[in-house]
């Protein structure tokens, strides 16, 4: 059961009302997470800005979705995990690779290395080494793509933590 109520453009106030109204006019019905985030215009605005910015990330979306799957398995947000599994499938990631992502790896050594970096950023960022960054470059990742991993991790921490706090689950309503 959700812990926080959904808001709508009619029930939200101030900046949240404006953000929800704009989103509804551009995208139609609003998902539970966005509607619930509207309790804090700072959180909702930050999420929207980071989400838009990460849409311009250098990492390809299939890799980004695999990273997100690995992170959400650790974080425990089923709503996010389901959304990222669906997005990975839509981008052509096969079921074996989705299962590998759930385990924090990939059959592709380059993707396995970038997933490992994301998990390390999540768990213990002080343990990242120069050798790891060099290895990622040798796999073909640019500095921009490597830096984008921090954004993917941050977006997943934000959405997963928010959904867990708010009590949003796949059973509690609509999508992210």
């Amino acid at each position: 059961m959700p812990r926080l109520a959904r808001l709508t453009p009619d029930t939200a106030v101030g900046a949240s009302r404006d953000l929800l109204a704009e989103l509804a006019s551009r995208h139609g019905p609003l998902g539970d997470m966005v509607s619930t985030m509207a309790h804090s215009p700072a959180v909702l605005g930050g999420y929207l800005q980071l989400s838009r910015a990460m849409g311009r990330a250098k990492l390809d979306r299939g890799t980004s979705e695999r990273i997100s799957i690995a992170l959400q398995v650790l974080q425990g947000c089923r709503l996010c995990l389901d959304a990222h599994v669906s997005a990975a499938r839509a981008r052509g990631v096969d079921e074996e690779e989705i299962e590998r992502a759930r385990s924090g790896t990939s059959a592709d050594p380059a993707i396995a290395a970038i997933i490992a970096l994301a998990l390390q950023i999540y768990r213990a960022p002080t343990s990242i080494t120069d050798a790891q960054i060099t290895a990622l470059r040798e796999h073909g990742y640019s500095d921009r793509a490597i830096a984008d991993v921090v954004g993917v991790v941050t977006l997943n921490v934000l959405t997963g933590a928010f959904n867990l706090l708010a009590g949003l689950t796949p059973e509690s309503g609509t999508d992210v």
Side-chain angles (χ1 to χ4, degrees), residues 25-93:
S25 71
R26 286 190 302 152
H27 302 288
L30 302 172
D32 286 344
M33 184 185 76
V34 169
S35 297
T36 307
M37 271 185 182
H39 285 284
S40 170
V43 171
L44 178 56
Y47 161 72
L48 293 171
Q49 288 178 6
L50 182 56
S51 183
R52 282 185 208 120
M54 292 313 300
R56 296 183 300 273
K58 188 68 174 167
L59 284 172
D60 75 83
R61 290 295 301 266
T63 300
S64 178
E65 293 302 341
R66 285 181 247 198
I67 289 169
S68 296
I69 290 167
L71 290 167
Q72 291 305 336
V73 165
L74 285 178
Q75 188 158 285
C77 178
R78 286 188 26 242
L79 184 62
C80 292
L81 180 60
D82 289 356
H84 290 295
V85 166
S86 292
R89 286 181 181 132
R91 283 164 179 73
V93 178

Side-chain angles (χ1 to χ4, degrees), residues 73-139:
V73 165
L74 285 178
Q75 188 158 285
C77 178
R78 286 188 26 242
L79 184 62
C80 292
L81 180 60
D82 289 356
H84 290 295
V85 166
S86 292
R89 286 181 181 132
R91 283 164 179 73
V93 178
D94 67 39
E95 294 302 317
E96 289 178 3
E97 272 299 295
I98 289 171
E99 284 308 308
R100 285 183 187 101
R102 287 177 187 268
S103 298
T105 193
S106 171
D108 180 326
I111 294 173
I114 204 86
I115 291 172
L117 175 68
L119 294 173
Q120 197 168 358
I121 291 167
Y122 180 80
R123 290 179 176 143
T126 60
S127 66
I128 297 166
T129 66
D130 293 343
Q132 285 175 278
I133 302 305
T134 298
L136 287 166
R137 288 183 184 125
E138 289 170 357
H139 281 298

